[in-house]
Amino acid sequence: MSKEMTAREFMKTMEGLINSPNQKLIGDMRGGYVYAANTNKPELMYAATEISKANRRATEAENRLDAFKYAVNDVFGTAELHRKMALEIKKVIFNNPATIVFWADGTKTVVKAKNEDFDPEKGLAMAIAKKALGNKGSYFNKIKRWTNDYNEES
C-alpha cells in the first residue's frame, strides 16, 4: 500500500522530476504528455499527464476565444466603429460658394462650387464623396476618371 502524499511532498517531487536529468518529455507541457523515465511513482506520471492535458485544453479554449474575439471585433469592433463614424455628419454649414461638413470623428471637409451655381445638395454630396475618397484634393480626379467616358459619349 502506498502512503498518501501531502501537497507539499507532491510539489517537491514534481519539481524534482521536472529538473531531473532522467525526465523525458514528449511534445511539450502545452500539447504533449510528460512522463518520468526512472520513477516508481505512477501517481506523479499520471498527474504530469493530466497537467499536460489540462494545458492543452486551456490552449485550445484560448485559441477559440481569440478567434471569437477577432470575429466579433471584425463585425462590431473598433474598425467598424471608425468606418461608421468616418461618414457620420455632426454639422453642415452652407456658405455660398462653400459647403463645410464637420464629421463625428472630429475632422472637417470643405468643398467649393467653381464655375457653376452654388447647389447645397451637390455641395453636400461632393463633401461626402471627398471624405469617402480620403479627404484630399484629388478626390475630384477620381470622380472624373469614371465619368469622362459618359461625358465623351454625350
Side-chain angles (χ1 to χ4, degrees):
M1 237 188 209
S2 69
K3 83 170 197 164
E4 293 288 319
M5 295 177 76
T6 66
R8 186 178 303 267
E9 290 171 330
F10 173 78
M11 292 304 292
K12 185 173 174 101
T13 307
M14 285 297 287
E15 186 178 323
L17 285 172
I18 290 170
N19 294 327
S20 166
N22 296 326
Q23 184 217 11
K24 292 188 179 178
L25 190 63
I26 298 174
D28 60 20
M29 282 297 282
R30 287 184 160 219
Y33 296 91
V34 178
Y35 70 95
N38 297 326
T39 183
N40 57 0
K41 298 188 186 272
E43 67 273 11
L44 296 179
M45 290 186 289
Y46 174 77
T49 300
E50 291 303 307
I51 290 169
S52 176
K53 287 179 184 177
N55 281 335
R56 187 175 62 249
R57 285 192 301 270
T59 300
E60 289 168 359
E62 185 178 351
N63 291 341
R64 285 193 302 273
L65 181 61
D66 286 344
F68 178 71
K69 284 179 185 176
Y70 179 81
V72 168
N73 280 331
D74 190 46
V75 175
F76 303 106
T78 56
E80 181 64 21
L81 181 62
H82 288 292
R83 281 193 292 271
K84 285 180 179 176
M85 280 185 64
L87 292 177
E88 187 176 322
I89 297 171
K90 188 174 178 183
K91 182 179 180 181
V92 179
I93 298 173
F94 298 107
N95 188 8
N96 190 357
T99 301
I100 306 160
V101 179
F102 295 91
W103 303 97
D105 66 359
T107 61
K108 78 175 180 178
T109 302
V110 178
V111 294
K112 293 182 181 179
K114 293 182 183 172
N115 302 324
E116 62 185 331
D117 292 337
F118 175 74
D119 179 354
E121 187 176 348
K122 185 176 181 183
L124 181 58
M126 295 304 282
I128 292 169
K130 184 176 181 180
K131 174 70 171 175
L133 294 172
N135 222 12
K136 297 180 180 129
S138 61
Y139 79 100
F140 194 66
N141 294 335
K142 293 178 184 177
I143 292 172
K144 284 177 82 174
R145 175 179 163 220
W146 294 102
T147 58
N148 272 346
D149 291 342
Y150 175 78
N151 291 335
E152 289 172 5
E153 291 173 6
S154 298

